[in-house]
């Protein structure tokens, strides 16, 4: 049979739906929805009373996207870049725009280096945090019948990789520390 | 203070941390009373989001009491109980002035493509989040609102992201009376999107996921037809079959970058970080929607490129609509709907986890244990 002009009606009528589903059609008018029209000029809609916001003081050279003309009036000040990972982050921001894959790949690389650096820092400061994936206790407390074996799910096929992702950087840190230690010991 | 702290992929812990300070005249410091873990927090937990620095505190869904205000704050005072949108925004830049609060240009020096968010890496501005006892809230006169006394704390937490984002996803889909709407993903956002589709006059709402307990909730809470894609060879063919081979009028992607589809996609995106996220759900949306239809995207994707089937979208004449939700824009209407008693958003809450046990919460959420849909976080006593 050829395809006809009308949509074959499988849906219940609007009257049926209105009777069955609380609130059905409360936002029926497409032009009367909170984000419609998408852009509506109203700079006083939020409670903001300033024309231009004041500038938050810059207490350290705050890294920023080179696509910005200036440092934004507010910004997060947590965890300024530091160490090798910090140098990689600064390079990513100084050199590459958000349009460049190098920008994001450098930041991701810095994230991995950051994990290794902070693990080393903790080991040397004597404050060691839980080295393995945290929260594993919930396997016992909230495991119930193991949903990995009782249900059909599509996330089983890659679960074997998770421990590698978790422990990989730490193993790398350990190996690195041993190598550096050996070199230091060998020095006369 | 006590706070959840990121140590590396799959490793978070709760430890002592410095109190947040007033760093700008319009800042507030909020004492957190209740928060939540969001599906999108898993991108951070899995190490998928670029520039997630060790030490960062996650959490962009929270409510609490104003503990301290900066000298220029007028709309809030110490002791006020507030709900805080997940967006950090100024209210007056070019984008905020036009209602695009999630795209604020004045709060995120690290990137221009994304606005500010609490506890969501330096790519969204480097703000610490609310999975802690205290949190810094910039532009306190623009973002937070007082919690109406007739809603519960749990409802207020859901109003900071999950509910408005789901509702926004349905708005983006341009639903008109009688439309067939497919929602991919039956997490909190998908469930709220499905429920909201009826408010906008949908004729059929179909929800797709692979977790049976979530599909059950889609049937009971969102009155949806449901399909478990793990039980079908090709979900797109199935969706075509149940829509008379036309495709759905509207498809909402409420999954985002963590989609589990095939191993190759998972390895290149989640593990090797070569993509902005696994585009499995988005590609299903593009394939399952009818020609001339609308795909609405509220699932979160990272800043890198993804392998999206753009040719199909072009050939089918699709409208693709997407954004992070401008939360505060949705509140007045959503509060009307809640007041009218159309639905109770807390029906999707499955866990209430104390701050100290958050690492277990992340593991439950990530491994999808224990029938988890929406875990809330309780802070203090
Ligand atoms: Zn969220
Ligand atoms: Zn703004």
């Amino acid at each position: 049979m050829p395809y006809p002009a009308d949509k074959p009606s499988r849906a219940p009528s609007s009257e049926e739906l209105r009777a069955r589903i609380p609130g059905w059609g409360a936002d029926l008018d497409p032009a009367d929805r909170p984000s419609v029209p998408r852009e509506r000029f109203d700079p006083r809609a939020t409670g903001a009373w300033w024309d231009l916001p004041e500038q938050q003081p810059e207490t350290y050279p705050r890294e920023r996207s080179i696509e910005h003309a200036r440092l934004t009036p507010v910004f997060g000040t947590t965890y300024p870049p530091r160490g090798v990972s910090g140098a990689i982050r600064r390079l990513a921001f100084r050199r590459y725009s958000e349009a460049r894959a190098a920008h994001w790949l450098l930041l991701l690389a810095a994230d991995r280096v950051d994990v290794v650096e902070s693990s080393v820092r903790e080991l040397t400061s004597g404050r060691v945090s839980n080295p393995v994936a945290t929260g594993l206790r919930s396997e016992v407390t909230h495991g119930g019948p193991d949903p990995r074996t009782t249900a059909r799910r599509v996330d089983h096929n890659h679960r074997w990789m998770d421990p590698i992702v978790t422990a990989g950087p730490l193993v790398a840190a350990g190996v690195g520390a041993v190598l550096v230690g050996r070199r230091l010991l060998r020095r006369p | 203070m006590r706070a959840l702290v990121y140590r590396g992929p799959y490793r978070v812990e709760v430890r002592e941390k410095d109190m947040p300070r007033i760093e700008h005249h319009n800042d507030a410091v909020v004492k957190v009373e209740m928060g939540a873990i969001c599906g999108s927090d898993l991108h951070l937990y899995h190490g998928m989001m670029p520039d997630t620095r060790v030490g960062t505190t996650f959490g962009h869904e929270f409510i609490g009491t104003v503990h301290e205000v900066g000298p220029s704050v007028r709309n809030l005072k110490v002791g006020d109980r507030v709900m805080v949108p997940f967006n950090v925004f100024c209210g007056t830049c070019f984008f905020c002035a036009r209602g695009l609060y999630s795209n604020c240009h004045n709060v995120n020096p690290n990137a221009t493509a994304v606005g500010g968010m609490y506890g969501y890496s330096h790519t969204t501005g480097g703000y610490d989040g609310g999975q802690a006892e205290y949190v810094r809230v910039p532009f306190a006169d623009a973002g937070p609102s007082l919690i109406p006394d007739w809603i519960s704390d749990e409802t207020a937490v859901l109003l900071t992201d999950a509910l408005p984002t789901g509702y926004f996803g349905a708005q983006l889909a341009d639903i008109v009376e009688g439309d067939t709407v497919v929602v991919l993903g039956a997490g909190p956002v998908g469930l709220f999107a499905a429920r909201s589709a009826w408010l906008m006059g949908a004729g059929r709402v179909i929800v797709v996921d692979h977790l049976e307990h979530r599909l059950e909730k889609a049937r009971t809470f969102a009155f949806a037809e449901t399909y478990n894609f793990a039980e079908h060879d090709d979900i797109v063919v199935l969706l075509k079959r149940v829509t008379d081979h036309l495709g759905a009028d509207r498809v909402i992607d409420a999954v985002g970058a963590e989609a589990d589809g095939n191993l190759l996609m998972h390895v290149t995106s989640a593990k090797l970080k070569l993509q902005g996220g696994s585009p499995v759900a988005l590609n299903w949306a593009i394939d399952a929607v009818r020609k001339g239809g609308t795909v609405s995207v509220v699932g979160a994707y990272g800043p890198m490129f993804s392998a999206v089937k753009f040719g199909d979208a072009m050939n089918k004449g699709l409208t693709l609509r997407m954004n992070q939700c401008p939360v505060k824009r949705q509140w007045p209407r959503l509060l009307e709907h809640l007041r009218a008693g159309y639905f109770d958003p807390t029906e999707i809450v499955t866990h209430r986890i104390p701050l100290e046990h958050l690492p277990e919460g992340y593991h439950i959420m990530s491994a999808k244990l224990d029938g988890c849909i929406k875990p809330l976080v309780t802070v203090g006593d």
Side-chain angles (χ1 to χ4, degrees):
Chain A
M1 221 204 42
Y3 295 115
D6 291 325
K7 180 160 76 174
S9 180
R10 289 187 182 224
S13 72
S14 295
E15 289 65 44
E16 266 175 82
L17 290 167
R18 201 186 301 273
R20 184 159 69 86
I21 296 171
W24 186 91
D27 291 311
L28 206 51
D29 180 1
D32 179 28
R33 293 173 186 168
S35 284
V36 179
R38 186 161 176 261
E39 298 189 14
R40 188 171 42 204
F41 189 79
D42 185 3
R44 291 287 171 263
T46 63
W49 43 265
W50 49 84
D51 290 323
L52 287 174
E54 275 180 77
Q55 178 66 43
Q56 173 183 334
E58 184 178 9
T59 51
Y60 63 95
R62 181 62 163 78
E63 69 284 0
R64 64 178 161 92
S65 167
I66 53 175
E67 293 178 48
H68 264 306
R70 58 189 298 284
L71 183 63
T72 54
V74 308
F75 49 89
T77 55
T78 54
Y79 318 105
R82 57 177 178 173
V84 177
S85 62
I88 300 171
R89 294 195 207 283
R90 288 197 186 284
L91 173 69
F93 281 105
R94 197 172 54 239
R95 183 81 183 74
Y96 300 104
S97 76
E98 296 159 59
R100 308 278 292 273
H103 176 80
W104 302 110
L105 291 172
L106 281 171
L107 288 174
L108 280 168
D111 289 349
R112 301 293 96 90
V113 173
D114 191 7
V115 172
V116 173
E117 281 184 308
S118 63
S119 299
V120 169
R121 205 155 29 227
E122 292 213 329
L123 286 170
T124 52
S125 71
R127 193 220 173 287
V128 183
S129 72
N130 188 345
V132 294
T134 46
L136 287 177
R137 204 169 62 102
S138 57
E139 289 282 341
V140 184
T141 57
H142 291 79
D146 188 348
R148 293 180 194 84
T149 52
T150 55
R152 260 191 205 249
R153 286 168 40 166
V154 296
D155 56 336
H156 301 166
N157 60 8
H158 55 74
R159 213 152 266 299
W160 58 272
M161 279 184 273
D162 296 348
I164 301 171
V165 174
T166 313
L170 288 152
V171 172
V175 170
V178 168
L179 290 177
V180 170
R182 278 223 304 242
R183 179 165 297 183
L184 290 175
L185 285 176
R186 245 188 268 129
R187 251 180 219 164
Chain B
M1 67 160 186
R2 304 290 288 170
L4 179 95
V5 166
Y6 173 71
R7 310 299 309 158
Y10 295 87
R11 286 167 65 225
V12 290
E13 65 182 16
V14 177
R15 56 158 75 170
E16 251 349 273
K17 184 162 173 165
D18 289 341
M19 280 280 290
R21 292 173 301 110
I22 301 288
E23 302 189 47
H24 177 275
H25 284 180
N26 209 252
D27 280 359
V29 171
V30 167
K31 183 178 193 300
V32 179
E33 283 167 17
M34 194 180 278
I37 308 180
C38 178
S40 65
D41 286 334
L42 293 179
H43 309 325
L44 301 164
Y45 179 67
H46 295 159
M48 271 180 75
M49 187 71 185
D51 215 354
T52 303
R53 302 182 187 177
V54 170
T56 301
T57 294
F58 302 158
H60 55 268
E61 308 182 1
F62 59 90
I63 62 165
T65 307
V66 177
H67 174 74
E68 192 183 351
V69 290
S72 81
V73 173
R74 298 179 185 175
N75 300 342
L76 297 179
K77 56 183 192 314
V78 171
D80 282 346
R81 300 195 67 242
V82 289
M83 45 190 192
V84 182
F86 78 82
N87 326 102
V88 178
F89 64 103
C90 77
T92 57
C93 69
F94 178 92
F95 303 102
C96 287
R98 286 160 179 78
L100 303 177
Y101 310 145
S102 49
N103 310 104
C104 179
H105 217 43
N106 269 338
V107 290
N108 181 5
N110 297 76
T112 56
V114 57
M117 273 176 77
Y118 295 95
Y120 213 79
S121 85
H122 273 66
T123 296
T124 70
Y127 299 96
D128 261 346
Q131 286 164 5
E133 288 183 295
Y134 295 88
V135 59
R136 173 192 172 207
V137 173
F139 291 122
D141 282 336
S145 284
L146 299 181
I147 299 174
D149 54 12
W150 55 271
I151 66 171
S152 69
D153 287 359
E154 298 193 346
T155 298
V157 173
L158 294 172
L159 276 168
T160 62
D161 180 0
L163 176 54
T165 296
Y167 184 70
F168 181 61
Q171 288 179 75
L172 289 180
D174 294 323
I175 296 165
V176 296
E177 188 167 352
D179 272 349
T180 298
V181 180
V182 167
V183 179
L184 300 177
V189 168
L191 291 169
F192 288 138
R195 190 65 187 79
S196 302
W198 295 120
L199 300 175
M200 293 166 205
R204 287 173 76 195
V205 175
I206 299 168
V207 173
V208 175
D209 202 298
H210 66 120
L211 299 174
E212 209 36 64
H213 66 275
R214 294 188 172 199
L215 292 171
E216 170 67 23
K217 189 62 83 177
R219 292 189 287 271
T220 57
F221 173 74
F223 308 103
E225 300 166 49
T226 60
Y227 295 101
N228 184 333
F229 69 81
E231 288 170 3
H232 297 277
D233 211 33
D234 187 332
I235 190 66
V236 170
V237 173
L238 181 81
L239 289 171
K240 288 285 167 65
R241 211 177 293 141
V242 301
T243 54
D244 301 284
H245 297 275
L246 297 176
D249 299 297
R250 322 287 164 194
V251 179
I252 301 170
D253 168 6
V255 177
E258 295 272 333
D260 284 300
N262 69 50
L263 195 58
L264 177 70
M265 283 297 185
H266 182 83
V267 171
T268 58
S269 60
K271 292 295 185 274
L272 298 179
K273 329 290 176 189
L274 294 180
Q275 299 192 46
S278 161
V280 172
L282 183 51
N283 285 335
W284 282 351
I286 288 170
D287 284 330
V289 74
R290 72 162 165 86
K291 285 174 255 196
T294 307
V295 171
S296 153
V297 185
V298 282
Y301 288 85
M304 284 284 281
F305 36 75
S306 305
V308 176
K309 300 178 72 179
F310 218 78
D312 283 0
M314 190 277 173
N315 289 330
K316 293 176 76 171
L318 303 186
T319 301
L320 306 181
R321 302 193 65 197
M322 60 208 86
N323 204 349
Q324 299 268 3
C325 177
V327 168
K328 202 169 185 176
R329 233 173 129 162
Q330 319 302 328
W331 279 350
R333 184 69 59 87
L334 278 173
L335 286 169
E336 277 177 39
H337 290 339
L338 292 173
R339 183 140 233 177
Y342 293 151
F343 58 91
D344 175 7
T346 64
E347 275 183 46
I348 71 153
V349 175
T350 50
H351 291 70
R352 290 150 182 95
I353 300 168
L355 177 65
E356 292 295 326
H357 293 173
L358 258 184
E360 281 90 34
Y362 270 89
H363 186 76
I364 292 169
M365 186 86 168
S366 171
K368 303 182 176 78
L369 302 178
D370 202 26
C372 186
I373 299 178
K374 186 66 176 177
L376 298 183
V377 180
T378 54
V379 184
D381 23 52

